[in-house]
Structures are given as C-alpha cells and as structure tokens.
Amino acid sequence: MQYRRLGKTGFEVSEIGLGTWHIGGRWKDPFSNANAELILNRAIDAGVNFIATADFYAGGASEAAVGRVARARSERIFVATKCGSQIPSHVNVGYAVERLRGAVETSLKNTGLDALDLFQLDSPPAEVYSWPEIFELFDKLKQEGKVLNLGVCVEKTEDALKAIEYPNVATVQIIFNLFRQRPADLFFELANARDVGVIARVPLARGLLADVYSHTTQSGPEDHPSSNHPGLAFDKFTGLDYATGLAVMEELKRVFPHNTPLAQWALRWTLMFTTVSCVIPGASRPDLLDANLAAASIRSLTPDEMDGVYAIYEKYIGPSVDRLF
C-alpha cells in the first residue's frame, strides 16, 4: 500500500481507503456487525488507514462499527464521516448551525471517538456556500477539539469550486471515475494551489465499472442503487443512460489487458492523478475488498491507455455529462 498526503490535514493516508456503506452486508440486508468488523480489520491488516463513513449508513451502525474497530487497533486510523442526507430533502434551511453541531455530537457518540478526524458536509444545497456562519461553526468545533478538519462531499464540480473558497475546507470528496472526468481540469488545479485533499468517491460508478451489469440484468426496488434500471439510477452517477453506459464498458475493455479486471484498472486510473489523495471503493464481502486492494499493486497505465480512456470519454460522455456535473 502506498500513502499520500491528504491536503492541508497533513494526514498520510492510504491511496486506497474504504467506503463503508455496505460493510455490514448488501443494501437490503440487516446490518451485520460481524461482517463489518471482518472487512474493517482485513482492510487495516492490508494497510488501509483511511475509512469513510456517514451518520446515515445503516442508521449509525456503520459509524459505530468503524469507531469500535478504530479504537481497538494500535495503528493510526483516520476516520472520515459526513452528515446531510438525514436533513429532509437536503433543503438549505436544514443546514442550521445548531443542527450541524448536533450532527457532530451524534457522530462522536456513534463512533465513541474523542474527536472526528474529518467531518464533511454531504452535498449541501448551493445556497449553503454563501452562509459563512456554517463554516465558522467548524472553526469553533476545532477549537473545542471535537473536529480536527472540515470537508465537503459534492456531486457537482461547481459546488467543489465554491467550497474551497473557504480556507478551512481541508478536503473535498467528489465523484471521480472513468465516466466522470471533469474534476481533473480546473478543480484539480485549484485544489492543488489551495492544498485541498481530494477524496475520489463512487470510483466504480455504483458497480457499472465493476462489470457486474449487462443488458439482461434484472433488478427490483430493493436492489439499491440499480432500482431505477434501465437508466435513471446511473444518470445520477454517470450522466448516461444505461445502454450507453454498457457500450462504454465494452469500449473500455478493449483498452486494457484482459488478465486484470476492469474494476482494478478503473481504480488505478483514478490514482494516476496525483491530486487524488485517496480513492474509497466499498465492499460488502472480503473477496470484494481484496479485489479492490489489488489495484494498489498493478502497474500504472501507459500513455496509450490514458489516451484511449480519454478518447472514449470524449466520444461518448464529455459533451453531455460535463454540462451536468
């Protein structure tokens, strides 16, 4: 495992971290503490020291599992959590100072930690970026020793650009993958200039880049996130309809050697960008975790492969997706 500096936090984090939405099992299954602790400990054994969770994952059970394991390990484990999805409809009036302070207290209680290494606002409405009192709150929380760093989690590049205008925003968690390449332009340039750590989320496009879907894939309303198949669920994360996403997958497979799964090439592609501090794929089973971590040891992409990926993006994705995200 290699490590990278997470911007102005100064943390040296594993370039492959762990997202914990599914550590307790699949979306529709009851949360399994045994499965969660197995995956968390296995990840840490492999050198992972950056774990991303959220207050709404399994109603707080994910935060609790992460905190329990982090406290039990001798290694320094950096815990990042976020809040916002439990604010009704993400409406801007919900992002009040006292509500956010309460969210911090809840996450501290859930994790059992004395301080949160990184607390992130999760996809706040655009108006929130014009409210300085929200960002001033986190300076107070840092002074109180409850939060070490503030970050934001965004869907749109424009929101990331607004967020990093605040000097105390230390990190941005942003969707960045083979289908969503726009952040690599102006945002990465400014993030570098302002020493903002970049956390790449949704690196496998909710499973599309893991090559687990096909034209015959069946899904039901309980099978989040493909419940809107054949298209709407992927629109949020790729901007593409389902059929086009599958066509792009076939094109991408021609770029890379077949002896390594495309998912690993997708993760390695993300790490080719030195601005990215950490990528956070999730895993609901140990074998999926191992497959993700294997991306840390495969070779870098060649210039021809990088050019091939970009050509596919420009042909199928860029003109329609860039304007959305």
Side-chain angles (χ1 to χ4, degrees):
M1 182 65 69
Q2 300 296 313
Y3 298 83
R4 301 185 181 190
R5 184 171 174 272
L6 184 61
K8 65 185 74 173
T9 70
F11 299 157
E12 292 291 327
V13 300
S14 51
E15 62 182 11
I16 298 181
L18 177 64
T20 61
W21 190 323
H22 292 297
I23 59 165
R26 293 179 60 83
W27 172 257
K28 62 181 179 179
D29 297 331
F31 190 88
S32 167
N33 282 302
N35 191 65
E37 293 183 14
L38 172 64
I39 291 173
L40 287 163
N41 281 299
R42 193 181 185 97
I44 296 169
D45 289 343
V48 171
N49 71 353
F50 184 84
I51 299 175
T53 185
D55 59 357
F56 73 97
Y57 291 175
S62 173
E63 277 189 328
V66 170
R68 191 163 55 248
V69 171
R71 297 194 314 270
R73 299 289 301 221
S74 60
E75 301 91 337
R76 176 66 165 100
I77 306 302
F78 300 104
V79 175
T81 192
K82 59 185 179 181
C83 83
S85 289
Q86 296 196 103
I87 295 175
S89 302
H90 283 267
V91 293
N92 54 8
V93 293
Y95 285 78
V97 167
E98 286 310 309
R99 181 188 286 272
L100 293 175
R101 176 178 281 278
V104 169
E105 297 289 354
T106 297
S107 290
L108 285 169
K109 182 179 179 180
N110 285 344
T111 60
L113 298 171
D114 295 328
L116 302 170
D117 294 312
L118 177 61
F119 190 86
Q120 303 155 105
L121 301 178
D122 188 5
S123 304
E127 296 93 332
V128 171
Y129 295 105
S130 64
W131 297 350
E133 64 270 21
I134 296 298
F135 296 87
E136 290 167 1
L137 165 67
F138 288 91
D139 285 331
K140 296 176 183 177
L141 290 167
K142 287 180 68 174
Q143 292 169 6
E144 295 168 13
K146 295 180 178 180
V147 169
L148 301 187
N149 297 280
L150 168 64
V152 296
C153 179
V154 302
E155 290 183 6
K156 296 185 177 182
T157 303
E158 282 72 18
D159 291 339
L161 293 170
K162 292 174 187 174
I164 63 175
E165 292 178 3
Y166 289 93
N168 66 344
V169 171
T171 67
V172 171
Q173 188 181 143
I174 192 167
I175 299 175
F176 183 59
N177 57 46
L178 291 169
F179 292 96
R180 293 276 291 273
Q181 299 186 25
R182 187 183 177 202
D185 296 327
L186 178 61
F187 170 64
F188 277 15
E189 178 183 342
L190 292 178
N192 273 328
R194 297 176 185 179
D195 198 20
V196 172
V198 174
I199 303 161
R201 72 185 186 108
V202 198
L204 299 178
R206 292 292 193 227
L208 190 56
L209 284 167
D211 199 21
V212 296
Y213 296 108
S214 72
H215 290 287
T216 60
T217 299
Q218 299 296 314
S219 62
E222 75 281 4
D223 293 328
H224 181 87
S226 59
S227 57
N228 291 327
H229 176 70
L232 295 179
F234 291 103
D235 282 348
K236 181 177 180 181
F237 300 108
T238 69
L240 299 175
D241 64 272
Y242 188 68
T244 302
L246 292 178
V248 171
M249 285 291 296
E250 293 307 309
E251 293 282 341
L252 289 170
K253 290 176 187 178
R254 298 187 181 99
V255 172
F256 300 109
H258 292 166
N259 59 342
T260 298
L262 181 60
Q264 292 178 15
W265 289 119
L267 294 174
R268 173 48 65 188
W269 174 88
T270 302
L271 293 171
M272 293 295 292
F273 295 82
T274 56
T275 303
V276 173
S277 300
C278 183
V279 59
I280 50 170
S284 60
R285 304 193 311 264
D287 60 307
L288 297 177
L289 170 70
D290 293 345
N292 290 337
L293 296 180
S297 59
I298 66 174
R299 64 165 175 80
S300 299
L301 275 67
T302 67
D304 285 346
E305 288 165 346
M306 293 294 289
D307 290 345
V309 166
Y310 187 70
I312 292 168
Y313 180 81
E314 283 291 282
K315 178 180 178 181
Y316 290 95
I317 304 172
S320 60
V321 171
D322 281 354
R323 62 183 173 79
L324 298 175
F325 303 108

